Amino acid sequence: MPASAPERGNVGYGGRPQRVAVLRCIVAAVVVTVLLAGLAVLIFWLVVRPKPIDYAVTHAVVRHFNVTPPPPDANANATASVNATFYLTFAAHNPNRRVSILYEWVEFRVLYGGGDPAQLLAVEDAPAFRQPRRNETALAVRAVARSANVSGQAARELRHDAEQGEVGVDVRMRARVQFKVAGVRTRHYDLEAFCSPVVVGLSPSAARSFQTVPCDVAIS
Ligand SMILES: *[C@@H]1O[C@H](CO)[C@@H](O)[C@H](O)[C@H]1NC(C)=O
Ligand SMILES: *[C@@H]1O[C@H](CO)[C@@H](O)[C@H](O)[C@H]1NC(C)=O
Ligand SMILES: *[C@@H]1O[C@H](CO)[C@@H](O)[C@H](O)[C@H]1NC(C)=O
Ligand SMILES: *[C@@H]1O[C@H](CO)[C@@H](O)[C@H](O)[C@H]1NC(C)=O
């Protein structure tokens, strides 16, 4: 590194090589910094080995399912209402050896018809919980639709589904989470798991043949 600044008037001779030396020094420093940062990321990655978290709906039953159709003389925009109680088992699997998860706020929604707009049948909050490393937790969710407003079109489709003995709904889990790595908490993240289609049989025996539905996960 150049120790003394060039004297005034002396720039003509010594200035150029000196400037080149300074430039070289800066480039070297930048390269070393980038390499060290890359190495730090690589070591962190190798030590933590983050793996995606899996979510799935593993059981689903519906009880007290009832659709009130719109009045027959109503216009095309008239709404209908739905009563139902959904009992869902929602499995969260954290395969990570070094990452635990704090679920600070959890909400489940049961929706009908992926179309636009999807009809909201039921919303249910779940208690906050902490998921340790390498852990599988099953949450029992009871989501109740109490005279949920749905469009007349959705009501007709729901009644048609019910006649076939099963309804296909979507389950959306939203959560505010914090990850904990080696005792250090990360920032807060929004987590969303979307599970579709969750086909729920209306007959009591249908619960036994339920097929696990894996969920798409987005973290932002
Ligand atoms: C839904 O339940 C409410 C009372 O909780 C009742 O007034 C309404 O008639 C029910 N609707 C249907 C479709 O059963
Ligand atoms: C139904 O809704 C659409 C759009 O919201 C509106 O343009 C139309 O006038 C409504 N029809 C009736 C019969 O209210
Ligand atoms: C997962 O964590 C919960 C809460 O700490 C605990 O009750 C449960 O037994 C754990 N399950 C497994 C498979 O380790
Ligand atoms: C359902 O829709 C009707 C008619 O649009 C409205 O009067 C009623 O308040 C709505 N109910 C709920 C729970 O949003």
Side-chain angles (χ1 to χ4, degrees):
M1 294 254 185
S4 61
E7 283 166 38
R8 198 180 281 268
N10 200 13
V11 179
Y13 251 126
R16 199 173 159 76
Q18 218 162 40
R19 246 183 275 149
V20 169
V22 169
L23 200 66
R24 238 186 242 152
C25 201
I26 291 172
V27 168
V30 167
V31 168
V32 168
T33 306
V34 167
L35 283 181
L36 283 181
L39 197 65
V41 168
L42 184 68
I43 289 172
F44 177 83
W45 198 262
L46 288 178
V47 170
V48 174
R49 287 194 179 270
K51 290 187 196 129
I53 314 149
D54 303 319
Y55 298 99
V57 176
T58 56
H59 282 98
V61 178
V62 63
R63 295 276 179 270
H64 320 298
F65 182 81
N66 209 328
V67 183
T68 309
D73 59 344
N75 69 43
N77 294 344
T79 62
S81 79
V82 177
N83 283 354
T85 306
F86 296 92
Y87 296 91
L88 310 168
T89 304
F90 187 83
H93 177 214
N94 174 17
N96 289 287
R97 278 187 302 149
R98 297 187 199 273
V99 183
S100 64
I101 307 160
L102 254 65
Y103 293 83
E104 303 166 288
W105 171 85
V106 186
E107 180 204 77
F108 289 93
R109 284 174 182 237
V110 178
L111 307 154
Y112 182 73
D116 187 32
Q119 310 283 309
L120 176 63
L121 297 182
V123 185
E124 202 63 49
D125 285 347
F129 69 103
R130 177 180 164 272
Q131 183 167 37
R133 300 165 290 165
R134 289 196 130 161
N135 174 271
E136 190 154 354
T137 295
L139 303 176
V141 181
R142 180 173 165 275
V144 183
R146 288 182 197 86
S147 304
N149 267 357
V150 297
S151 68
Q153 175 68 21
R156 280 186 288 278
E157 285 173 15
L158 270 169
R159 284 168 82 86
H160 180 259
D161 286 4
E163 278 161 22
Q164 313 294 314
E166 57 187 29
V167 286
V169 295
D170 299 335
V171 175
R172 187 189 295 274
M173 183 269 260
R174 293 200 302 144
R176 188 116 173 105
V177 300
Q178 246 187 335
F179 301 99
K180 204 167 161 187
V181 187
V184 180
R185 288 189 188 184
T186 64
R187 72 170 174 88
H188 303 266
Y189 287 90
D190 289 321
L191 189 149
E192 187 171 315
F194 186 68
C195 330
S196 174
V198 179
V199 179
V200 193
L202 296 175
S203 72
S205 64
R208 265 174 272 139
S209 59
F210 183 79
Q211 299 266 307
T212 290
V213 182
C215 311
D216 293 331
V217 183
I219 296 177
S220 57

